[in-house]
Amino acid sequence: MTAAAQNENLNALFAPVGNGLEPDIVGVLESILRLYSITPQELFYKWESYCLKMGSEETVLDLPTARMFQKDVQDGLERSHQGKHSERKPIVNATPRTAVKSGDVYGMLDDLTPSAGPKRNASAKRRNDFETPAPKRVARPDKHNTTTPSGVSFSQRQNSGEIIQQINGHIPVAETPIAPYAEARIKPIANTDVKKFGYKPMSMRINESSEVLDERIEDFHALIQKHHKLEDSSFGDASAQSTNEIVAVGRIACDTPEGKLNQASLLLELSRKWGGGRRVPLKVEELQTYSLFPGQIVAVRGTNASGHYFQVTEVLTIPSPPLPVSAPATIHTMNGKMGVPDDSTGSPLNILFASGPYTADDNLDFEPLQALCKKAAEDMVDAMVLTGPLLDIEHPLLAAGDFDLPDVKGIDQDANMTTLFRLWISSELEKVCSAVPSLTIVIVPSTRDAISKHVSWPQEHLVRKDLGLPKQVKMLPDPCFISLNEVVVGISSHDVLVQLSREQMSHNSKTGLLERLPNYLIEQRHFFPLYPSLSRDKLSQDGVKAVGDCIDLGYYKLGEWSNVRPDILFLPSMLTPSVKVVDSVVVINPGTLSKRKAPGTFAQMTLTPRKISEEELSQSMIAHDVAERARVDVIRI
């Protein structure tokens, strides 16, 4: 990699927005790359882990921080190197032993080996071979001194209420009403067929999966042909040797399953109809700019003169789906719910967006959730949109199963996750619903939710009655579309942004990373256009094994968008919290409400009424213009 290309990659990863990194900082980062022979992408992963370790994902990369980061990378690599050379053979008393009725089979060694533990009780009950192994003991936190790993208690957190990201700051924040509204001002309508998500998971068939992937290429083929007004003769087989210029439609792939996408590893996977399902290498060095990722459906123009690769001269644009529209009379009715007599005045809607986890890693007190519910009650908000994980299966205490059950009537040693959900989550939501009867709550689960029996994505919704939630709560699948009055909101709790950021490659892109990633979803008309998804090992951080992805390709079409793009796209992610307007879509990533080592963030939206002009009254349909009338703040909890 040339120095210029390396410099460009560093700026794209570490400073996607702004004027780029300072030369001194670039020098430090290049020194790390040179000394330890790692790629810029690997260095960025280490930077993300370093930010989490420091307790803040908003750590500023200045020169002193860059030098501290360099020292941290050096220490980490030295520890890893020492660990490889300090491995010892297992000692005798670590040998697994099988308990039998008459005693330990290897019990004779207990009296002969000095380091062996005490002999087991011969009358102990024999362990079932299929029984779940007992988890390692985890130190229980002090209930009266609940602190984050950084040593600061949640109640003593700093910068609470600070706004870190914002759009349309000129719009005033919605004022708190004198008293709760008599009735709900938001009418939620699910635009997703919820029943289709109730499929049987873990029954995926290879032939069904291949058909879904092939149909997706054919659907885009028809879309591109119509948009660019191309004849059938313009298309061809990119894998066939020919000097004629053709247009080929296919899926971007990498030449190795575990490899990283780059210019040398690019492949185009063709459909059965237009290429027999074959893959052909792509050459893109003639292109001035491009942005690609595995699974992306593209239309490329070029030739395959040698028969060995397809030389690309142009990447054809894919049209974005249209924005949603409504009749002026419908919007007038919705404005009436907001108390707008003349479509110009009235109280704006106040909506909160938050994503799990909802408690810190060292306790199960759910203080961030309590703080969010308290704010919702104090501000008398109109709606809360919450995504999982609610009870996180990756939470250290829940994963170990070693925590003290609360001393509450009805809670005994046989309590299950549903009982704990009612205690920790439902109770807080019931309080805020009682305080604000007009409140509407939308809950979308995550594959990391311990209470969900549906383990694959797309994921079925949770059952409200089983969890003891009030009637104001609406349960939806992941992903989904929902209309809040006239506004169409697309929601997915699956962190597609962080996976796309690690797998995508771009050259001379004119947009920053945080704008480019959601634009992939808009262009591809899908909540998870990446294929294949990241492996479990790649998703793991700081030695903590992630649950990993379980994408059911047989039902992959449930993640496809309808004929319109949403007004609001709610995409929670581990990436830096942000709010952007991308292709007239308000994209909200509120971050997580609780981080591993610090309190997290949430988003608050103030949505003003849609003003209808005299000219628009005569039109049959008008756009919602949410990007112009919505103020969104990303706030520290």
Side-chain angles (χ1 to χ4, degrees), residues 213 251-252 269 279 293-295 528-533 553 556:
L213 294 173
R251 178 180 293 103
I252 294 296
E269 181 182 311
R279 289 182 171 185
F293 64 89
F528 198 88
L530 181 70
Y531 179 80
S533 58
L553 291 177
Y556 191 65

Side-chain angles (χ1 to χ4, degrees), residues 198-488:
Y199 64 90
K200 183 180 180 181
M202 301 180 69
S203 61
M204 189 165 49
R205 296 180 177 85
I206 295 179
N207 59 338
E208 292 180 356
S209 303
S210 63
E211 289 175 1
V212 169
L213 294 173
D214 198 66
E215 287 176 5
R216 183 162 168 79
I217 297 177
E218 291 299 325
D219 291 343
F220 271 82
H221 186 284
L223 176 68
I224 292 166
Q225 183 174 9
K226 180 180 179 181
H227 177 71
H228 292 278
K229 300 178 181 179
L230 300 173
E231 300 293 335
D232 288 342
S233 58
S234 301
F235 297 91
D237 182 1
S239 63
Q241 182 177 7
S242 174
T243 56
N244 296 328
E245 187 177 67
I246 62 168
V247 174
V249 180
R251 178 180 293 103
I252 294 296
C254 186
D255 58 1
T256 55
E258 299 297 329
K260 182 73 172 64
L261 201 65
N262 54 56
Q263 281 193 6
S265 64
L266 271 177
L267 297 176
L268 183 69
E269 181 182 311
L270 305 170
S271 65
R272 294 187 183 95
K273 178 179 179 181
W274 292 95
R278 291 183 291 272
R279 289 182 171 185
V280 57
L282 289 182
K283 298 294 183 181
V284 295
E285 62 271 8
E286 293 185 7
L287 299 178
Q288 295 295 322
T289 178
Y290 56 82
S291 297
L292 303 170
F293 64 89
Q296 181 181 9
I297 309 298
V298 296
V300 291
R301 191 190 302 274
T303 57
N304 187 354
S306 65
H308 299 297
Y309 60 85
F310 189 80
Q311 183 68 54
V312 180
T313 58
E314 180 188 2
V315 178
L316 277 65
T317 58
I318 297 177
S320 299
L323 284 168
V325 293
S326 298
T330 301
I331 294 181
H332 183 78
T333 302
M334 297 302 176
N335 285 345
K337 285 181 169 290
M338 301 168 64
V340 185
D342 57 357
D343 295 336
S344 60
T345 61
S347 179
L349 294 176
N350 195 349
I351 306 174
L352 300 183
F353 295 85
S355 174
Y358 292 93
T359 187
D361 273 7
D362 65 338
N363 68 80
L364 292 170
D365 293 335
F366 288 87
E367 292 176 297
L369 176 63
Q370 294 172 13
L372 182 71
C373 291
K374 181 180 178 181
K375 178 176 177 57
E378 291 176 348
D379 294 354
M380 300 182 192
V381 300
D382 295 287
M384 294 173 64
V385 182
L386 308 177
T387 60
L390 298 155
L391 289 183
D392 189 2
I393 199 172
E394 293 184 10
H395 192 286
L397 299 182
L398 288 177
D402 188 13
F403 54 88
D404 291 327
L405 291 174
D407 187 13
V408 178
K409 184 178 181 181
I411 302 294
D412 52 30
Q413 296 301 319
D414 296 329
N416 54 25
M417 286 297 171
T418 300
T419 307
L420 297 178
F421 184 96
R422 286 170 171 260
L423 175 69
W424 290 326
I425 308 293
S426 300
S427 61
E428 295 300 324
L429 298 182
E430 284 178 355
K431 292 177 184 177
V432 69
C433 287
S434 298
V436 188
S438 60
L439 175 65
T440 298
I441 299 178
V442 177
I443 293 182
V444 175
S446 164
T447 51
R448 284 168 50 183
D449 268 308
I451 57 172
S452 176
K453 298 179 181 179
H454 201 109
V455 297
S456 58
W457 190 94
Q459 184 181 14
E460 189 179 17
H461 65 89
L462 303 175
V463 181
R464 181 175 59 83
K465 292 183 179 179
D466 294 346
L467 302 175
L469 291 167
K471 293 183 178 181
Q472 291 112 302
V473 178
K474 190 173 185 64
M475 314 297 275
L476 292 176
D478 178 28
C480 64
F481 282 96
I482 184 173
S483 291
L484 302 179
N485 291 350
E486 80 279 5
V487 179
V488 178

